[in-house]
Amino acid sequence: MRLINRTVINIIPDKEKQAYLRHLPAVDSLLKLDRIQRLTGQIPRPVVVEALQSVLNDCRRRIMSSTTQKDILAIKTDSASLEKEAVALALNNNTYSLRPVVNATGTVLHTNLGRAPLGPAAAARVAAIAGAYNNLELDLETGERGSRMAHLESLICSLTGAEGALLVNNNAAAVFLVLQTLATGKEVIVSRGELVEIGGSFRIPAVMRASGAKLVEVGTTNKTYEQDYEDAVTEDTTLFLKVHTSNYRIMGFTAEVSLKELVALGSRKGLPVVEDAGSGAMPDMAAMGLPPEPRIKDTLRDGVSLVTFSGDKLLGGPQAGIIAGKKELVEMCRKNQLMRVLRIDKMVIAAMEATLRLYREPERALREIPVLRMLGAGREEMAAAAGELFNSLQQVAGEKIKITPWEGVSAVGGGALPLTELPGRGVGVEVSGMSAAEVAYRLRTGMPPVVARVHKDRLIMDVRTMLSGDIEKITEAFRAF
Ligand SMILES: *Cc1c(COP(=O)(O)O)cnc(C)c1O
């Protein structure tokens, strides 16, 4: 049994604690301090007052929960200390919550970091449209009410070969709207191997249930044959659903019915095929040195009735869900009352129009859409950027910071191309007397925040996901160390 050390336990009577509390300065007197006065000239006064109150409350709490004299004496209650703490807190509370960060993780489509960053043309277009009135729902020709979809539909159709197109809040909403429109109370046949869960708990079976469609699973996890689909067709069947296995692959002893085969079966049975393409590649991924992915164009050419895909995955635009395909089915979705619930905003339309216009010149899309540029970055380009980052950090490193070249893998992320490992390049950082997790914390909470990976107690920064100007920002962050 351990003996309790009596000299340490020294419960202070509450009365004595109250005396300490009474000695704390009042908010009003702290507000008269020089630095606080100056601060209220720079940021809203209520933010400063709230910070002072919070710092004082914290002192009170710590005093009341102290058990020894030593604990209490360790609490800094002098005006200078309180002032310093309150200034830091007020400045921190006054910064924007949503802020730009440097993505040094090497994961191109990082859902926690806002997925696809917009290119300069799209960002400028958002600013131009958001700060002015615009013809969102006005036909300038006739002066009559127009459709907000008109700004995008023909562009999508000409890029993909679709007869009609519609946009909603995101791809999850697109899948939901399609099922809710075409399959409420009816049966939808889907392969067991395609019942995906995407990050953030988007589960195909759950979405189908919410839409009112009845899920009919066919096949097994690894094998589904055409006969399985055929056998499952009943009078209540309304469509076949194919789901792109975006974030996983089933390998080994497998069988899958191709889209073409399913379309052929569908036309024999008089049933449409809908595909949730997930990330939905617009460009030719193979031309970028990546594993081939079916393009939306190919999916439509293979005869799918409707395809849905995300705006902010491989497309590289704003968050949105695109529904494209047969005119008649797109029209049915458009007339659904839920369109009003799921509709997209003018800023999204502005960003999407600017992004899609780049696809009219494929070379330009690869250069100017950040996601495509990052995914297509070759070894030489990566090595050059990594060398630049290394040299820049060496200049500010000093004795305590060790910078080493790093080579590894970067990921596509965002539930796209799950097995693709892109070559990663960058630097490793070690700071003496600090764990890699602490270094990561310091960088993440700096201004601007830099988000990096920790691997084997080394901080790794991958240049693949860096945008122009990021190397300077990272260098500044290290200068502040
Ligand atoms: C990502 C993904 C979704 C969800 O798309 P969001 O645009 O994030 O809503 C749905 N289905 C598949 C197959 C996906 O890959």
Side-chain angles (χ1 to χ4, degrees), residues 310-326:
S310 287
D312 57 350
K313 288 187 181 170
L314 292 177
L315 193 151
Q319 179 191 304
I322 302 176
I323 301 169
K326 298 261 186 301

Side-chain angles (χ1 to χ4, degrees), residues 200-356:
S201 73
F202 172 86
R203 286 181 161 188
I204 280 290
V207 170
M208 293 183 80
R209 224 172 292 124
S211 76
K214 271 185 245 155
L215 178 68
V216 178
E217 297 174 35
V218 296
T220 59
T221 304
N222 58 329
K223 288 203 172 201
T224 303
Y225 301 101
E226 194 174 322
Q227 195 65 45
D228 295 324
Y229 284 95
E230 190 159 1
D231 290 348
V233 174
T234 71
E235 283 179 355
D236 288 334
T237 305
T238 185
L239 59 90
F240 292 128
L241 177 70
K242 215 166 156 49
V243 184
H244 186 56
T245 57
S246 318
N247 53 6
Y248 68 102
R249 291 286 182 267
I250 293 177
M251 291 187 293
F253 192 55
T254 66
E256 180 190 359
V257 179
S258 74
L259 182 60
K260 267 188 180 158
E261 291 165 328
L262 200 55
V263 167
L265 177 65
S267 64
R268 266 186 279 133
K269 298 277 171 192
L271 294 171
V273 177
V274 171
E275 171 156 302
D276 169 11
S279 51
M282 292 284 282
D284 182 357
M285 301 312 270
M288 294 165 60
L290 296 167
E293 277 278 297
R295 288 175 306 172
I296 294 302
K297 213 184 199 167
D298 305 326
T299 304
L300 286 161
R301 205 186 38 220
D302 284 349
V304 82
S305 294
L306 285 179
V307 58
T308 75
F309 56 105
S310 287
D312 57 350
K313 288 187 181 170
L314 292 177
L315 193 151
Q319 179 191 304
I322 302 176
I323 301 169
K326 298 261 186 301
K327 186 139 204 93
E328 188 196 340
L329 298 181
V330 170
E331 270 331 298
M332 286 170 73
C333 292
R334 197 194 310 274
K335 291 197 186 110
N336 190 323
Q337 282 295 312
L338 281 173
M339 255 320 277
R340 181 63 184 224
V341 178
L342 306 173
R343 75 178 183 184
I344 52 171
D345 166 72
K346 59 181 178 282
M347 289 185 273
V348 172
I349 294 174
M352 187 60 88
E353 186 182 14
T355 306
L356 289 173

